[in-house]
Amino acid sequence: MNSIGRVEVIYKGALVGRLALSDKGQCVFEYDGNWLNSGFSISPFELPLKTGAFLGKPYTGFRALIIPIYSGCAMH
């Protein structure tokens, strides 16, 4: 199986940003510069429209037991 290190997030044909795994297995999101100038926050509480990288929060509770492979990639 191939490993994907980074995913581009696209909305209506525009690059919103990139989602990647850190060396520690956490999901990291960062907005694209053009999106910062003309876009909107895709999650106002967790991903405000500003520069910098955002670390995902780990799942807790029942969902983490069902899908442990994605437990480091929860943006909630």
Side-chain angles (χ1 to χ4, degrees), residues 25-27 56-60 63-65 67-74 76:
Q26 287 181 289
C27 278
K57 297 177 183 177
Y59 277 132
T60 57
R63 285 175 58 174
L65 296 174
I67 313 173
I69 194 166
Y70 298 116
S71 65
C73 281
H76 60 87

Side-chain angles (χ1 to χ4, degrees), residues 33-50:
N34 290 328
W35 187 265
L36 285 169
N37 293 329
S38 61
F40 56 88
S41 170
I42 59 173
S43 177
F45 297 112
E46 298 295 332
L47 300 170
L49 191 60
K50 65 180 186 177

Side-chain angles (χ1 to χ4, degrees), residues 10-39:
I10 308 268
Y11 177 75
K12 293 189 177 182
L15 178 62
V16 175
R18 291 169 185 84
L19 186 64
L21 285 177
S22 72
D23 293 338
K24 295 180 180 181
Q26 287 181 289
C27 278
V28 180
F29 177 80
E30 187 168 9
Y31 285 108
D32 180 72
N34 290 328
W35 187 265
L36 285 169
N37 293 329
S38 61

